[in-house]
Amino acid sequence: GGGSIQPATALIGPHWCSLCSGDVCKRDIRSACGPVRSVALNSHESKPYVFSGCRRHFESGAAMDLQDDLTVFGLSIALLAVAYAIGRVVGPKVTKCETDEQRRKQRAWILTLISSVVCSAHGVFFLGRVIKHGFGHEFSRGETVADRRVALFFLAYCIADLATGALDYIDEIDYQSGWAHHSFYGIGLCVLLYRKHTHFFMAGLIEELPTVLLAWARLAHAKELHWPFALLYFIVRILYHVVATFEVLEHSLFAFGLGLVIFRQHLWWLGAWGRRS
C-alpha cells in the first residue's frame, strides 16, 4: 500500500537460495513476487546472499548429481596423484632415506598422511557440532555437500592407495589393513553415497587422528610415541566409536552395522599393535 515497493528479499525470503542457489535470477524473482513488475537489485540488498554459495556446502539436504560426484572424485584422484609424486621425490631427501627398503616403506604412508589430515580436520568440525547440538541432531539432518565431498575424497584415497601400492609398494600392503580395509570402506561409502547418508560417515572422521601420528612417524622414520598414540587410539577408536555407533542405531541400521564391523577391526589393530610393542 501507499505506492511503496518492498525489496525482493522481503517478499521471497528463504526461497531466494532455493530458486537461485545464491545467484541473481531476475526471472524467478519476478515470478515469486507476483504483482511486482520491477525489482531493484542493488548491492546493499544482495549483500546477505554473497556467501550463500559457501553456506550451501554445510546446509543439509543440498542437492548433488552424478556430474558433481564425478568431478569431485576425479579432482580428488588428481590431487592425490600430484601430492604422491611430490612426496615421492621430496620425502627421501628431507628424511634422508638411505636404503631402497626405507624409501619403499616411506612411500606407503604418503597418501595415508594426506588422507588422515584432511579427514581429521573435518572430524574435529563434526565433533564440535556434536558437542554443541548432540549426536541426535547431526544424525537426523540430511547430508550436506561437504559431507558428500569428504566421502568422495576418502573413496578416491582408498582406490588411489591400492592402485599406487600395486605399482610402487606392493610389499607394504597387507591383506587386513590394505585390500580388505579399503575394499570394505569403498563398498560401504558407495552405499552411503547412493542413499545420501554420508553424514553418518562424518562421525568416524575424528578417529583418523591417531593415523596422523602413526603416518608421520613412519614417514620420518621416527620412534613411535607409544603411550600417546595408544591413549589417543583408545579414546577415539574405542570409547568414542562405541558411543557414536550406538547413537546411530535409531537412525540407520546399515550405519550401525558398519560401525560394529569397524569396531571389531579397531580391536584387532589395537591388539596387534600391543603385541608388537
Side-chain angles (χ1 to χ4, degrees):
S4 62
I5 298 178
Q6 299 181 47
T9 54
L11 291 170
I12 62 177
H15 299 292
W16 176 283
C17 291
S18 62
L19 286 171
C20 309
S21 298
D23 298 323
V24 175
C25 177
K26 293 182 180 179
R27 179 178 57 80
D28 287 341
I29 293 173
R30 290 193 186 102
S31 64
C33 292
V36 178
R37 300 303 177 193
S38 62
V39 180
L41 290 173
N42 56 44
S43 60
H44 175 72
E45 289 171 344
S46 55
K47 254 182 196 176
Y49 307 100
V50 170
F51 299 104
S52 61
C54 297
R55 290 200 307 269
R56 176 176 171 268
H57 295 286
F58 300 99
E59 291 175 350
S60 60
M64 290 286 285
D65 57 30
L66 182 59
Q67 183 176 353
D68 292 329
D69 288 350
L70 292 175
T71 300
V72 173
F73 179 79
L75 285 174
S76 298
I77 289 287
L79 290 173
L80 288 168
V82 171
Y84 179 77
I86 295 173
R88 193 180 191 279
V89 174
V90 176
K93 296 179 180 179
V94 174
T95 58
K96 298 179 180 179
C97 293
E98 298 177 354
T99 66
D100 289 339
E101 182 181 1
Q102 285 182 333
R103 285 188 286 271
R104 187 179 64 252
K105 287 180 178 296
Q106 184 184 69
R107 292 196 295 267
W109 289 90
I110 295 173
L111 294 180
T112 301
L113 178 64
I114 296 170
S115 172
S116 59
V117 169
V118 172
C119 290
S120 295
H122 284 84
V124 170
F125 176 77
F126 180 88
L127 182 61
R129 291 181 60 88
V130 168
I131 293 173
K132 182 177 181 180
H133 303 291
F135 276 109
H137 176 273
E138 290 303 297
F139 288 151
S140 298
R141 65 171 175 81
E143 72 172 7
T144 66
V145 173
D147 298 340
R148 196 168 184 86
R149 288 181 175 177
V150 174
L152 286 164
F153 170 80
F154 194 79
L155 177 62
Y157 156 72
C158 290
I159 295 173
D161 193 35
L162 290 179
T164 308
L167 296 173
D168 211 17
Y169 45 86
I170 186 65
D171 294 336
E172 301 303 317
I173 301 182
D174 61 41
Y175 175 78
Q176 187 76 13
S177 302
W179 300 104
H181 173 272
H182 288 8
S183 298
F184 171 79
Y185 269 94
I187 295 171
L189 282 171
C190 286
V191 175
L192 293 177
L193 285 163
Y194 176 77
R195 294 183 173 183
K196 301 185 187 301
H197 285 172
T198 55
H199 54 297
F200 296 133
F201 173 68
M202 295 292 289
L205 296 183
I206 192 69
E207 298 173 21
E208 286 297 295
L209 280 174
T211 308
V212 175
L213 296 180
L214 184 62
W216 180 255
R218 292 281 192 262
L219 282 169
H221 306 295
K223 209 172 178 183
E224 289 180 30
L225 303 174
H226 293 294
W227 291 113
F229 172 81
L231 180 61
L232 183 60
Y233 188 102
F234 183 75
I235 291 173
V236 297
R237 293 207 171 193
I238 304 299
L239 298 181
Y240 168 83
H241 187 90
V242 169
V243 175
T245 298
F246 281 93
E247 285 285 348
V248 82
L249 177 58
E250 62 179 290
H251 303 278
S252 171
L253 188 59
F254 178 76
F256 175 73
L258 288 179
L260 290 180
V261 175
I262 294 169
F263 181 66
R264 180 184 178 278
Q265 179 70 63
H266 289 176
L267 290 176
W268 184 87
W269 273 334
L270 184 62
W273 177 83
R275 288 189 294 272
R276 288 197 305 269
S277 300

